[in-house]
């Protein structure tokens, strides 16, 4: 069985954070400030309490409901010199966990049996040689307060700290008793884990739902691609006739233009060259009376801007006129198409 011990965390960060919280709490309103309820019981030289059991019930710490309030402290005030202090030196390798190093070497560092004392290691480093670290070791014998602890337990109380003034006066040592807290430590860990699990549960469920939705969407990708292909085909089918109508309005229907031109030219006229670009016509050929072609094409109503693009000359055999003219087709596509259908 090993001696009871308290562990003051190391290095200095927790101490600094506690000090910083205390300073910040001083800026808060009184009802929000961190309250420390402390009840002190004097212990006689034989280790017993001076108060009878009835007075202990009256002196119980009052339960207060305060924001950020600390747990009440029950302090056993031991006779002067009951808590001993010793400066110990440890190798620098023990810096990360000096408490374990002291625990394994306790029988050498103190003249007491480990099971007969309680001890605490001050977390404030002291000056030490190079390659070593130094701390203050606080020790108290159980004989100085065992009877007081038993009496407190009968009253339903549990001491949290030991206090003893120096024999020379001018200060005191405080040694925390963390055995009850050590018993509750697994429960606190479980509580912290439970709170963390409850806090992370919504995010976990959200990730699960997102995973399911992504799987469902991936399974629908093939169907979606097929539907988009069908939609594109339908759109092209709907836009095709409209595009044809727009092209007919702009450039006309070549077959209708050729039919109108064939119907308008006299039988004694034939063409050697025909160029059709959009609605623009360019004609070259021979006709017995080329001058009447302009009037003939205009009278049909299917051509406009009819004019000769070059001089009219007689052929070599003097039987026809050689002409070159240009015109613009003006027929309405739908009407001309309906006329050309028969």
């Amino acid at each position: 069985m090993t001696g009871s011990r308290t562990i003051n965390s190391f290095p200095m960060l927790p101490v600094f954070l506690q000090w910083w919280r205390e300073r910040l709490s001083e800026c808060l309103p009184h009802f929000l400030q961190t309250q420390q309820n402390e009840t002190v019981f004097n212990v006689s030289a034989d280790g017993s309490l001076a108060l009878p059991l009835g007075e202990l019930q009256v002196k119980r710490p009052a339960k207060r409901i305060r924001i950020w309030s600390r747990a009440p402290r029950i302090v056993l005030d031991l006779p002067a010199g009951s808590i001993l202090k010793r400066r110990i030196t440890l190798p620098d390798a023990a810096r990360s966990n000096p408490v374990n190093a002291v625990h394994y070497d306790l029988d050498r560092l103190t003249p007491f049996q480990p099971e007969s004392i309680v001890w605490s290691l001050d977390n404030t480093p002291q000056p030490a040689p190079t390659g070593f670290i130094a701390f203050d070791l606080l020790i108290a014998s159980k004989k100085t307060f065992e009877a007081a602890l038993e009496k407190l337990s009968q009253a339903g109380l549990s001491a949290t700290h030991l206090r003893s003034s120096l024999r020379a006066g001018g200060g005191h040592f405080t040694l925390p008793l963390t055995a009850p807290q050590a018993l509750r430590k697994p429960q606190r860990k479980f509580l912290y884990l439970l709170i963390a699990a409850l806090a992370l549960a919504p995010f976990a469920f959200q990730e699960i739902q997102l995973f399911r939705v992504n799987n469902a969407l991936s399974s629908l990708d093939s169907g979606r691609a097929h539907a988009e292909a069908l939609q594109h085909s339908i759109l092209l089918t709907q836009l095709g006739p409209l595009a044809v109508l727009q092209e007919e309005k702009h450039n006309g229907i070549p077959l209708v233009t050729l039919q109108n031109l064939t119907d308008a030219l006299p039988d004694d006229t034939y063409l050697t060259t025909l160029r059709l670009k959009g609605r623009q016509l360019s004609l070259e050929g021979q006709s017995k009376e080329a001058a009447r072609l302009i009037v003939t094409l205009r009278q049909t109503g299917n051509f406009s801007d009819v004019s000769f693009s070059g001089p009219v000359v007689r052929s070599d055999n003097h039987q026809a006129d050689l002409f070159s003219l240009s015109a613009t087709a003006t027929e309405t596509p739908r009407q001309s198409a309906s006329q050309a259908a028969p």
Side-chain angles (χ1 to χ4, degrees):
M1 179 179 179
T2 60
S4 300
R5 65 189 184 279
T6 60
I7 301 175
N8 291 339
S9 59
F10 177 82
M12 293 291 294
L13 180 59
V15 179
F16 171 76
L17 292 178
Q18 180 179 356
W19 173 84
W20 184 252
R21 185 181 65 177
E22 292 174 355
R23 300 290 78 78
L24 290 179
S25 65
E26 296 175 358
C27 303
L28 298 175
H30 180 70
F31 70 95
L32 291 178
Q33 291 184 7
T34 303
Q35 301 294 324
Q36 179 67 69
N37 304 325
E38 182 176 284
T39 305
V40 181
F41 296 97
N42 294 320
V43 181
S44 60
D46 59 355
S48 61
L49 290 178
L51 294 176
L53 187 60
E55 294 186 16
L56 286 178
Q57 298 291 344
V58 177
K59 203 174 180 182
R60 292 176 64 93
K63 294 183 178 180
R64 300 180 180 180
I65 302 177
R66 290 182 179 268
I67 300 176
W68 299 343
S69 62
R70 299 179 185 175
R73 294 178 56 171
I74 300 178
V75 181
L76 295 180
D77 194 359
L78 305 181
S82 297
I83 298 179
L84 306 177
K85 182 181 78 168
R86 178 184 176 183
R87 181 70 53 83
I88 62 173
T89 302
L90 301 174
D92 190 66
R95 184 182 298 273
S96 60
N97 197 347
V99 175
N100 285 345
V102 173
H103 172 68
Y104 289 122
D105 207 16
L106 193 62
D107 54 352
R108 184 184 63 84
L109 297 174
T110 65
F112 306 100
Q113 295 296 325
E115 61 271 9
S116 64
I117 61 172
V118 294
W119 59 276
S120 175
L121 189 64
D122 192 353
N123 60 359
T124 305
Q126 303 296 333
T130 304
F132 293 88
I133 54 176
F135 298 94
D136 287 336
L137 178 64
L138 301 179
I139 305 170
S141 175
K142 291 183 178 180
K143 294 181 180 180
T144 60
F145 59 89
E146 278 185 334
L149 285 180
E150 183 177 357
K151 197 169 185 179
L152 284 178
S153 64
Q154 293 176 4
L157 301 175
S158 179
T160 61
H161 293 76
L162 299 178
R163 180 183 298 168
S164 176
S165 59
L166 303 177
R167 292 185 184 275
H172 62 270
F173 293 138
T174 300
L175 194 156
L177 297 174
T178 56
Q181 296 179 3
L183 294 177
R184 293 194 298 267
K185 193 172 182 180
Q187 298 179 1
R188 287 187 176 182
K189 286 185 177 180
F190 176 76
L191 180 61
Y192 294 154
L193 291 177
L194 181 60
I195 293 175
L198 292 177
L200 295 177
F203 300 99
F205 287 126
Q206 183 180 11
E207 290 296 327
I208 293 175
Q209 293 297 330
L210 288 176
F211 178 75
R212 292 178 177 175
V213 171
N214 289 333
N215 284 342
L217 291 177
S218 61
S219 63
L220 295 176
D221 281 343
S222 59
R224 179 178 59 84
H226 182 64
E228 290 179 352
L230 291 178
Q231 183 180 8
H232 183 67
S233 300
I234 294 173
L235 184 62
L236 292 179
T237 303
Q238 294 176 348
L239 294 179
L242 181 61
V244 171
L245 289 177
Q246 294 293 335
E247 191 67 20
E248 289 178 354
K249 290 180 179 180
H250 184 264
N251 295 323
I253 302 176
L255 293 179
V256 174
T257 301
L258 292 176
Q259 180 180 352
N260 293 336
L261 180 60
T262 303
D263 295 339
L265 291 176
D267 294 338
D268 57 359
T269 302
Y270 66 92
L271 301 178
T272 58
T273 302
L274 171 63
R275 296 184 182 90
L276 177 61
K277 185 177 181 180
R279 292 182 177 274
Q280 300 299 320
L281 286 170
S282 178
L283 308 177
E284 294 181 3
Q286 296 183 13
S287 178
K288 287 188 176 183
E289 296 182 14
R292 63 174 181 168
L293 291 179
I294 294 178
V295 177
T296 302
L297 293 177
R298 288 177 178 175
Q299 288 179 349
T300 60
N302 295 325
F303 302 96
S304 63
D305 300 330
V306 183
S307 63
F308 288 108
S309 57
V312 178
V313 297
R314 296 295 292 177
S315 62
D316 294 338
N317 56 10
H318 301 283
Q319 294 183 0
D321 296 332
L322 301 178
F323 66 89
S324 174
L325 60 83
S326 61
T328 301
T330 60
E331 80 280 355
T332 301
R334 286 297 176 187
Q335 294 177 353
S336 300
S338 61
Q339 295 174 0

